[in-house]
């Protein structure tokens, strides 16, 4: 049986931040990730959809330095380059199908949204590079946690399908509470009120899908458009310029079609409908992308549960007490949704991870 002082479950931004901070404090830490890659909902991909060091963010892509100082501080600490989301040019608004889309010049932005050069996964690479490779377990899915007097026994399923055990004195669950409740069996069970809170907390991005059209140049900018559009017609409801810092041109949008309807229509039908809409909004050049990408997070079983398919709002900040009863001394939640501020956002992941690390350090100091 493998053993460690702290097991961090989930290798997204929160899990990596926590694991790196604990390791830097000299605390024996193991990071356990169900996917074959790190990043969780952070996924920077190339035109073929494969993870890339310079690509398009199929998950979260923005942060706002003034409103989210925790994320701004992390970017500075890691020495990452950032750039502003393109907003130069007119915005397009499509109110109804029988009306021609309207263009207007937006008012000045109060807060500039920023993106990381090379994509959000740059933060994942920087954090993971500060952890020993042997302390990261990929393709390892936690299926059960059993409480013992001296800690927690985690049952994990490996890529080969075998069941193994990992013992930890403390567990940091750095994944969405709803996913944790659905995917892991606890012995003894979580308090019913606690389990209900986990189930009722929406997982940010889980109901959504993002479509990308990749071009050889940002033709919309030449035509005086910012690449930003809003539509009440669809299938895309919100569209933005996704051109990378290195100049790879793209538009992306969030689909306003529900998860079940997306599954019924199929990827190819959705892609063609999205391209037709981009042509209405930005002109016929939109019909000839070099590649298209569609990432449906609701179809990702390591992000979404059945409860997420019906949609849901943004997670709402609440009590920081996410665990109760006998588990309270051994289990901490650190997914972005559990943050007291900016839940669901990149900044929320950093804040939640910092909170968990501070609690563990305090506990270790008392022992």
């Amino acid at each position: 049986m493998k053993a460690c002082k702290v097991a961090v479950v989930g290798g997204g931004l929160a899990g990596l931040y926590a694991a790196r901070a604990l390791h830097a404090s000299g605390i024996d830490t193991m990071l356990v990730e169900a996917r074959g890659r790190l990043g969780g909902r952070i996924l920077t991909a190339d035109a073929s959809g494969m993870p890339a060091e310079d690509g398009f963010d199929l998950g979260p892509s923005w942060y706002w330095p003034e409103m989210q100082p925790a994320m701004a501080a992390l970017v500075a600490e890691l020495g990452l380059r950032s750039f502003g989301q393109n907003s130069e040019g007119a915005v397009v608004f499509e109110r109804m199908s029988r009306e021609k889309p309207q263009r207007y010049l937006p008012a000045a932005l109060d807060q500039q949204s920023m993106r990381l050069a090379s994509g959000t996964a740059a933060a994942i690479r920087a954090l993971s590079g500060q952890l020993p490779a042997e302390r990261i377990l990929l393709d390892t899915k936690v299926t059960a946690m059993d409480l013992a007097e001296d800690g927690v026994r985690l049952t994990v399923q490996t890529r080969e399908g075998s069941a193994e055990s990992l013992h930890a004195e403390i567990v940091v669950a750095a994944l969405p509470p709803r996913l944790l409740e659905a995917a892991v069996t606890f012995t003894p069970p979580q308090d019913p009120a606690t389990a209900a809170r986990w189930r009722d907390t929406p997982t940010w991005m889980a109901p959504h899908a993002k479509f990308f059209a990749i071009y050889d140049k940002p033709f919309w900018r030449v035509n005086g458009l910012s690449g930003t559009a809003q539509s009440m017609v669809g299938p895309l409801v919100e569209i933005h310029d996704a051109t990378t810092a290195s100049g790879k041109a793209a538009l992306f949008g969030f689909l306003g079609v529900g998860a079940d309807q997306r599954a019924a229509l199929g990827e190819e039908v959705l892609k063609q409908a999205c391209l037709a809409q981009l042509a209405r909004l930005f002109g016929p050049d939109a019909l000839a992308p070099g590649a298209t990408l569609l990432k449906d997070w609701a179809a990702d079983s390591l992000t979404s549960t059945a409860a997420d398919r019906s949609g849901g709002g943004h997670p709402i900040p609440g009590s920081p007490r996410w665990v109760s009863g006998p588990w309270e001394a051994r289990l901490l939640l650190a997914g972005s949704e559990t943050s007291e501020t900016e839940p669901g956002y990149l900044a929320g992941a950093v804040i939640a991870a910092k909170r968990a690390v501070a609690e563990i350090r305090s506990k270790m100091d008392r022992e």
Side-chain angles (χ1 to χ4, degrees):
M1 178 188 296
K2 293 186 176 71
C4 58
K5 194 83 169 178
V6 179
V8 178
V9 181
L13 180 60
L16 277 166
Y17 187 99
R20 183 199 65 152
L22 292 167
H23 174 72
S25 297
I27 299 171
D28 180 28
T29 303
M30 188 77 75
L31 179 66
V32 185
E33 168 55 47
R35 291 180 171 89
R37 62 170 180 85
L38 295 169
R41 284 167 282 179
I42 293 176
L43 175 57
T44 302
D46 62 19
S48 68
M50 297 301 294
E53 293 191 1
D54 181 21
F56 308 98
D57 287 319
L58 307 190
S61 57
W62 298 313
Y63 72 99
W64 294 264
E66 293 185 29
M67 291 190 297
Q68 300 175 336
M71 187 62 192
L74 178 63
V75 171
E77 178 189 348
L78 297 176
L80 302 176
R81 291 192 304 114
S82 61
F83 67 106
Q85 170 67 32
N86 181 64
S87 58
E88 293 185 9
V91 172
V92 182
F93 181 65
E94 187 179 40
R95 189 175 68 164
M96 56 183 66
S97 58
R98 64 176 180 267
E99 287 185 1
K100 184 178 179 180
Q102 301 297 308
R103 301 180 179 184
Y104 64 92
L105 291 175
L109 296 174
D110 292 332
Q111 297 283 344
Q112 172 69 60
S113 53
M114 302 296 290
R115 295 161 58 192
L116 294 184
S118 302
T120 312
I124 299 302
R125 292 192 299 274
L127 289 168
S128 62
Q130 298 178 32
L131 279 173
E134 66 272 13
R135 308 311 288 172
I136 301 174
L137 301 177
L138 296 178
D139 287 309
T140 305
K141 184 178 182 180
V142 176
T143 59
M145 296 189 200
D146 292 82
L147 191 61
E149 287 187 9
D150 59 347
V152 180
R153 184 173 68 86
L154 297 88
T155 302
V156 302
Q157 184 176 9
T158 66
R159 175 170 42 193
E160 294 76 20
S162 62
E164 298 181 2
S165 294
L166 170 66
H167 182 275
E169 292 184 20
I170 298 175
V171 175
V172 177
L175 66 164
R178 178 177 282 174
L179 184 63
L180 177 66
E181 195 277 335
V184 179
T185 300
F186 291 90
T187 304
Q190 295 295 331
D191 176 82
T194 295
R197 186 186 183 193
W198 294 3
R199 283 193 304 271
D200 293 342
T201 300
T203 299
W204 187 234
M205 286 299 298
H208 300 294
K210 293 177 76 172
F211 170 79
F212 288 75
I214 302 166
Y215 301 95
D216 58 359
K217 59 183 178 181
F219 61 85
W220 53 93
R221 296 184 184 181
V222 177
N223 298 330
L225 299 174
S226 65
T228 300
Q230 293 181 327
S231 174
M232 299 178 69
V233 179
L236 301 171
V237 294
E238 180 184 334
I239 300 163
H240 298 277
D241 187 327
T243 302
T244 66
S246 61
K248 298 174 183 177
L251 293 167
F252 96 88
F254 293 98
L255 277 87
V257 180
D260 291 338
Q261 188 178 359
R262 294 197 299 266
L265 290 171
E267 185 170 316
E268 193 55 38
V269 170
L270 286 170
K271 285 184 174 181
Q272 292 305 315
C274 289
L275 289 177
Q277 180 184 10
L278 292 181
R280 293 197 309 267
L281 301 176
F282 300 107
D285 287 343
L287 291 172
T292 58
L293 297 171
L294 179 62
K295 175 57 178 176
D296 191 336
W297 288 100
D300 187 328
S301 64
L302 296 178
T303 295
S304 178
T305 71
D308 295 302
R309 298 188 67 82
S310 58
H314 200 283
I316 299 172
S319 167
R321 190 166 180 253
W322 285 89
V323 184
S324 59
W327 282 95
E328 195 166 7
R330 298 293 183 182
L331 176 65
L332 299 170
L333 267 59
S336 178
E337 286 78 8
T338 69
S339 175
E340 294 178 68
T341 57
E342 305 293 340
Y345 290 107
L346 295 170
V350 175
I351 294 165
K354 280 187 172 182
R355 181 194 66 216
V357 170
E359 288 188 33
I360 291 172
R361 285 173 174 164
S362 176
K363 179 179 176 63
M364 299 293 182
D365 289 343
R366 294 193 302 268
E367 292 179 350

